[in-house]
């Protein structure tokens, strides 16, 4: 069999006579088989690609499933740990609650025990207070009455006396003894009398005395002294100065505006004596002071004596304050009268501070410190009457 190439095959076929031309019939099967093989190859490639894609997809899905499984397993393990920790915490909390419940029960028991003891003590105190004898009660009330009487007699303190009487009244009210009904009425009467007393306002009068002492320290004397450095020129006596020559008396101002020169010179020369007298009076006025003084000795005080005068006045004010506390009206009025006398003699009456001090001294003199204070004699007499009548024993009272 001779091999024919595609180039020599048509030439051979054309050289043989009568032979049919196999060119067209032979070419059709070849084309069909090659097309079928191409389609089959393409189908195989597609199938292979699909298989590869499905495998890849399955591999990815399996990988994701494995990762999801591992994550789920991790989460389950974490959840189990959390649940175990929660159970542990719950057990600890339950144990703590049980311990606290025991402590609360213990505290409640202690509180109940303390309440029981308090009630027992309260009952014992009430029994002791209510079961005290009349004699002990009378001694307590009498001690309070004596204290009130001392406050009235020695200190003149009405408020403290009222407090002592109210304490005694409360003590009798708590005891509720019919035997002391008359004593309670006497104490009530003494309290009403003390509340109706018009007493002297000691703090207010003390403040006024302190204010007067301040005025005495800064008011100016008739002679200058170093004790009142704040005394201004308004409080010191002013020298009598002559007024300067007025324009109406000046010959220069009486000339007309169109006066001649020789008239102006003559008016100038005529005004010289008046101007010289005014200037001399103004200059020498500071050296001469005219003032009326009833006591010439007040102008002869030295600085040390002026300070002694102020100190003596302050000492008299302290004595007057002590007399007010001791309810001695004679001493009170005498000391204030001496203060007023010294102010009117040695102090400058034209100064504002001196006038204020004199006015305040006069107001203090008009205050009556001799207040008539009542006593608690009725209450003391009632206690004495109870002691004279005698007290029943506790057995008879029961």
């Amino acid at each position: 069999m001779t091999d024919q190439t595609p180039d020599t095959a048509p030439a051979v076929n054309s050289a043989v006579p009568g032979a049919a031309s196999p060119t067209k019939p032979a070419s059709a099967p070849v084309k069909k088989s090659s097309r079928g093989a191409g389609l089959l190859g393409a189908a195989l490639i597609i199938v292979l690609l699909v298989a590869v894609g499905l495998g890849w997809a399955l591999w990815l899905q399996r990988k994701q499933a494995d990762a999801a499984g591992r994550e789920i397993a991790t989460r389950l393990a974490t959840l189990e740990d959390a649940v175990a920790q929660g159970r542990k915490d719950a057990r600890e909390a339950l144990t703590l609650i049980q311990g606290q419940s025991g402590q609360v029960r213990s505290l409640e028991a202690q509180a109940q025990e303390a309440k029981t003891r308090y009630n027992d003590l309260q009952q014992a105190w009430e029994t002791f207070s209510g079961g005290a004898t009349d004699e002990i009660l009378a001694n307590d009330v009498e001690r309070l009455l004596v204290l009130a009487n001392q406050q009235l007699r020695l200190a003149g303190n009405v408020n403290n006396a009222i407090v002592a009487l109210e304490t005694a009244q409360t003590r009798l009210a708590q005891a509720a003894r019919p035997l002391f009904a008359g004593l309670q009425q006497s104490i009530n009467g003494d309290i009403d009398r003390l509340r109706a007393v018009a007493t002297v306002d000691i703090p207010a009068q003390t403040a006024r005395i302190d204010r007067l002492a301040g005025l005495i320290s800064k008011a100016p004397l008739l002679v200058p002294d170093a004790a009142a450095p704040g005394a201004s020129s308004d409080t010191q006596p002013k020298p009598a100065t002559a007024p300067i020559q007025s324009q109406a008396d000046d010959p220069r101002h009486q000339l007309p505006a169109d006066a001649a020169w020789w008239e102006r010179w003559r008016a100038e020369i005529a005004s010289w004596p008046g101007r010289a007298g005014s200037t001399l009076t103004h200059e020498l006025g500071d050296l001469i002071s005219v003032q009326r003084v009833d006591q010439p000795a007040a102008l002869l005080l030295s600085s040390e004596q002026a300070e002694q005068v102020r100190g003596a006045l302050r000492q008299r004010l302290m004595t007057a304050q002590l007399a007010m506390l001791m309810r001695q009206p004679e001493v009170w009025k005498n000391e204030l009268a001496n203060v007023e006398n010294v102010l009117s003699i040695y102090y400058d009456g034209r100064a504002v501070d001196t006038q204020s001090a004199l006015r305040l001294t006069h107001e203090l003199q008009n205050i009556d410190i001799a207040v008539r204070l009542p006593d608690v004699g009725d209450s003391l007499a009632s206690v004495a009457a109870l002691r004279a009548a005698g007290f029943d024993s506790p057995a008879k009272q029961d």
Side-chain angles (χ1 to χ4, degrees), residues 337-379:
N338 291 328
V339 171
E340 185 178 9
N341 188 25
V342 173
L343 285 174
S344 61
I345 293 176
Y346 293 96
Y347 280 76
D348 185 8
R350 295 174 299 177
V352 178
D353 293 334
T354 304
Q355 295 175 2
S356 300
L358 287 172
R359 185 170 53 254
L360 186 55
T361 304
H362 185 68
E363 292 176 358
L364 290 174
Q365 282 181 337
N366 294 331
I367 297 175
D368 186 13
I369 63 172
V371 179
R372 306 299 184 272
L373 296 178
D375 54 11
V376 292
D378 295 343
S379 300

Side-chain angles (χ1 to χ4, degrees), residues 98-216:
Q98 292 176 353
Q100 291 180 352
S101 299
Q103 293 179 359
V104 169
R105 287 192 296 269
S106 177
L107 292 175
E108 289 179 352
Q110 293 178 3
Q112 186 65 29
E113 184 179 358
K115 184 178 180 181
T116 303
R117 291 182 179 178
Y118 174 77
N119 292 333
D120 295 340
L121 291 175
Q122 185 69 20
Q123 185 177 2
W125 172 252
E126 292 178 356
T127 303
F128 173 77
S129 300
T133 61
D134 293 339
E135 187 174 1
I136 296 176
L137 181 59
N139 291 334
D140 295 340
V141 174
E142 186 178 11
R143 185 175 64 255
L144 293 172
L145 294 177
V146 171
L147 177 61
N149 194 31
Q150 291 176 353
Q151 291 294 326
L152 291 174
R153 294 298 181 186
L154 300 180
N157 196 327
V158 179
N159 294 327
N160 290 345
I162 292 176
V163 170
L165 293 178
E166 289 178 347
T167 305
Q169 188 181 32
T170 304
R171 183 75 176 86
L172 292 175
Q174 291 178 351
R177 301 294 176 84
L179 183 62
F180 293 88
L183 179 58
Q184 281 186 288
Q185 294 179 0
S186 300
I187 294 176
N188 292 333
D190 290 337
I191 291 175
D192 293 338
R193 284 193 297 272
L194 290 178
R195 288 176 178 173
V197 172
T199 59
V200 179
D201 192 355
I202 301 297
Q205 303 309 324
T206 302
R208 298 178 70 181
I209 293 175
D210 293 339
R211 180 187 172 192
L212 179 57
L215 292 174
I216 288 174

Side-chain angles (χ1 to χ4, degrees), residues 11-31:
V12 174
N13 291 331
S14 61
V16 179
S21 178
T23 305
K24 293 181 179 180
S27 60
V30 173
K31 291 180 179 180

Side-chain angles (χ1 to χ4, degrees), residues 138 179-180 183 381-391:
L179 183 62
F180 293 88
L183 179 58
S382 299
V383 174
L386 287 175
R387 289 187 178 278
F391 301 102

Side-chain angles (χ1 to χ4, degrees), residues 26-42:
S27 60
V30 173
K31 291 180 179 180
K32 290 181 180 180
S33 60
S34 59
R35 184 180 299 175
L39 293 174
L40 182 60

